[in-house]
């Protein structure tokens, strides 16, 4: 079964605001995850400059031999990216769904400060439910 | 994967409210009355009408900066080509999705940076009468704040003001939205410039 290894959410300025590890391999400590997030933020921005045509919105998919990295950037600059097994399907729709969960359970939480790390129970709960769903059966969203 | 088409404001509105008509009406009334209570309390606390206008705008701004993400997530609209499209999307999809009104966009200036959004009806002002002592109050100022906040988060600095207000005797609500400038996020590569 194709699976997701980890999920990251980074804010507009490139800071990591959410990290969730699902696989046992490639577990990183907090500092490493922060470094990876800011590296990705920079790479994403640089890729927009590298583009031969204007209007590039950045890297969407990075394929390596042992993993795929799917990235979704909202029009407000928040990036959602997931590291998963090569060939996993439907990750883009999962990331869009995580964006919806973010708007419903994080942004509507009055105690959540914008651009700060996410510590919202409801968000964690709903996210766990939806990722479990994706791992158990490969259904389209 | 083929991109998902943008959903119409109606479809999203129906989806969010679901259930039957009477439930939706009750929910809308609760919203109207709650907003009225907020304005009333602000008037009691701040006393000055200008202060209340400013506070409503600020509250709207705080809502707008968060609302924009929900709007983008649920409506699947793609990036707008120009400000004209932005204004249309605000009027037809945005306002419909959140307060159930379909507004129209008129009065474009020559450069295409300033327009009027006209709301025929407005659920915020159901049951409201503005007394003479509060004639300077922009009762729906929260809406102007919301639009300003939302546009700010998608790199557009705008100025939103009320041109016509049905509570003060005009027949419709008219908001003027003026695009001041586009400020795309720039990555600082060229330090020597």
């Amino acid at each position: 079964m194709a699976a997701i290894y980890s999920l990251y959410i980074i804010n507009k300025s490139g800071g990591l605001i959410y990290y969730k590890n699902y696989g046992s391999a490639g577990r990183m400590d907090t500092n490493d995850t922060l470094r990876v997030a800011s590296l990705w933020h920079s790479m994403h921005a640089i890729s927009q400059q590298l583009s031969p045509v204007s209007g590039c919105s950045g890297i969407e998919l990075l394929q390596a031999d042992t993993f795929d990295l799917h990235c979704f950037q909202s029009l407000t600059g928040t990036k959602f990216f997931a590291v998963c097994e090569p060939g996993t399907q439907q990750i883009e729709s999962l990331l869009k769904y995580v964006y919806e969960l973010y708007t419903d359970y994080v942004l509507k939480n009055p105690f959540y400060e914008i651009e700060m790390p996410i510590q919202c129970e409801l968000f964690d709960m709903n996210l766990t439910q939806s990722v479990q769903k994706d791992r158990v059966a490969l259904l389209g969203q | 994967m083929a991109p998902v088409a943008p959903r119409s404001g109606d479809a999203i509105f129906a989806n969010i409210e679901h259930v039957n008509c009477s439930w939706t009406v009750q929910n809308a009334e609760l919203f109207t009355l709650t907003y009225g209570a907020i304005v009333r309390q602000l008037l009691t606390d701040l006393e000055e009408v200008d202060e209340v206008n400013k506070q409503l705008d600020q509250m709207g701004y705080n809502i707008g900066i968060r609302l924009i993400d929900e709007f983008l997530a649920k409506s699947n609209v793609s990036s707008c080509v120009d400000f004209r499209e932005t204004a249309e999307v605000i009027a037809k999809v945005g306002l419909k999705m959140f307060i159930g009104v379909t507004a129209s966009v008129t009065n474009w200036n020559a450069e295409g940076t300033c327009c009027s959004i006209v709301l025929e009806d407005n659920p915020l002002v159901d049951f409201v009468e503005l007394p003479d002592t509060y004639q300077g109050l922009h009762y729906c100022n929260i809406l102007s704040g919301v639009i300003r906040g939302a546009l700010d988060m998608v790199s557009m600095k705008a100025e939103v003001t009320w041109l016509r207000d049905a509570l003060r005797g005009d027949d419709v609500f008219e908001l003027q939205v003026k695009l001041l400038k586009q400020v795309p996020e720039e990555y600082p590569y060229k330090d020597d410039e």
Side-chain angles (χ1 to χ4, degrees):
Chain A
M1 275 282 158
I4 303 166
Y5 292 141
S6 50
L7 176 73
Y8 297 72
I9 304 182
I10 37 188
N11 64 16
K12 273 175 38 169
S13 7
L16 182 70
I17 57 174
Y18 191 77
Y19 167 69
K20 192 78 200 284
N21 191 307
Y22 295 104
S24 52
R27 207 176 274 280
M28 289 189 281
D29 65 8
T30 326
N31 284 334
D32 284 342
T33 57
L34 287 165
R35 262 179 231 125
V36 164
S38 37
L39 264 174
W40 181 255
H41 173 77
S42 315
M43 281 201 334
H44 195 269
I46 292 169
S47 70
Q48 291 174 359
Q49 300 285 323
L50 278 176
S51 167
V53 297
S54 67
C56 173
S57 56
I59 305 176
E60 284 176 358
L61 172 63
L62 183 116
Q63 283 177 314
D65 49 357
T66 49
F67 71 93
D68 278 354
L69 191 155
H70 293 257
C71 179
F72 168 69
Q73 182 183 39
S74 72
L75 288 170
T76 51
T78 315
K79 287 181 264 299
F80 299 79
F81 64 97
V83 178
C84 52
E85 257 183 24
T88 319
Q89 302 300 313
Q90 308 288 351
I91 296 292
E92 284 100 47
S93 53
L94 174 71
L95 288 175
K96 288 214 169 64
Y97 185 64
V98 174
Y99 184 35
E100 267 185 58
L101 290 180
Y102 169 75
T103 64
D104 278 335
Y105 297 108
V106 177
L107 293 181
K108 287 188 190 169
N109 185 331
F111 301 109
Y112 171 71
E113 281 176 58
I114 300 262
E115 315 258 298
M116 288 287 117
I118 295 175
Q119 277 148 357
C120 307
E121 249 181 67
L122 282 175
F123 177 69
D124 286 319
M125 241 169 55
N126 280 276
L127 185 62
T128 316
Q129 273 174 8
S130 65
V131 174
Q132 290 300 339
K133 212 159 49 119
D134 264 23
R135 288 176 89 178
V136 167
L138 277 173
L139 296 165
Q141 288 276 1
Chain B
M1 207 176 71
V4 183
R7 296 151 74 182
S8 73
D10 279 328
I12 312 163
F13 188 64
N15 219 11
I16 296 173
E17 296 302 328
H18 25 255
V19 209
N20 56 56
C21 241
S22 65
W23 192 83
T24 318
V25 166
Q26 277 171 19
N27 208 24
E29 286 182 1
L30 180 63
F31 175 64
T32 308
L33 294 172
T34 311
Y35 184 67
I38 292 175
V39 178
R40 193 73 199 82
Q41 191 58 44
L42 280 173
L43 281 166
T44 316
D45 288 342
L46 301 170
E47 286 168 30
E48 282 286 302
V49 161
D50 287 324
E51 281 301 313
V52 176
N53 285 339
K54 260 203 306 211
Q55 188 67 5
L56 281 173
D57 187 75
Q58 185 57 38
M59 281 164 63
Y61 184 82
N62 293 335
I63 294 175
I65 59 179
R66 296 179 181 228
L67 202 78
I68 180 69
D69 271 312
E70 184 184 357
F71 173 68
L72 291 171
K74 302 212 169 129
S75 65
N76 271 322
V77 293
S78 53
S79 200
C80 290
V81 173
D82 56 11
F83 188 61
R84 276 177 192 267
E85 204 185 324
T86 308
E88 286 291 324
V89 167
I90 294 173
K92 299 281 184 286
V93 190
L95 286 172
K96 180 75 193 160
M97 182 173 155
F98 289 108
I99 52 174
V101 300
T102 312
S104 50
V105 186
T106 54
N107 278 351
W108 279 104
N109 71 345
E111 298 94 40
T113 55
C114 182
C115 67
S116 286
I117 295 183
V118 180
L119 293 91
E120 305 273 315
D121 69 310
N122 187 345
L124 289 175
V125 304
D126 286 339
F127 325 125
V128 176
E129 266 175 31
L130 212 58
D132 293 324
T133 45
Y134 294 131
Q135 280 302 313
L137 179 69
H138 290 298
Y139 186 83
C140 309
N141 221 22
I142 207 164
L143 284 179
S144 61
V146 170
I147 295 177
R148 188 169 64 90
L151 287 175
D152 213 23
M153 292 308 266
V154 279
S155 344
M156 284 185 256
K157 286 246 175 293
E159 199 183 280
V160 188
T161 44
W162 288 100
L163 290 182
R164 285 191 283 173
D165 194 330
L167 288 177
R168 298 203 207 163
D170 302 312
D171 45 345
V172 290
F173 289 93
E174 190 175 334
L175 267 171
Q176 184 187 64
V177 185
K178 185 155 49 160
L179 177 69
L180 298 173
K181 59 175 174 172
Q182 296 245 20
V183 275
E185 303 276 332
E186 279 294 321
Y187 203 74
Y189 293 108
K190 303 178 180 167
D191 284 330
D192 43 307
E193 272 196 15

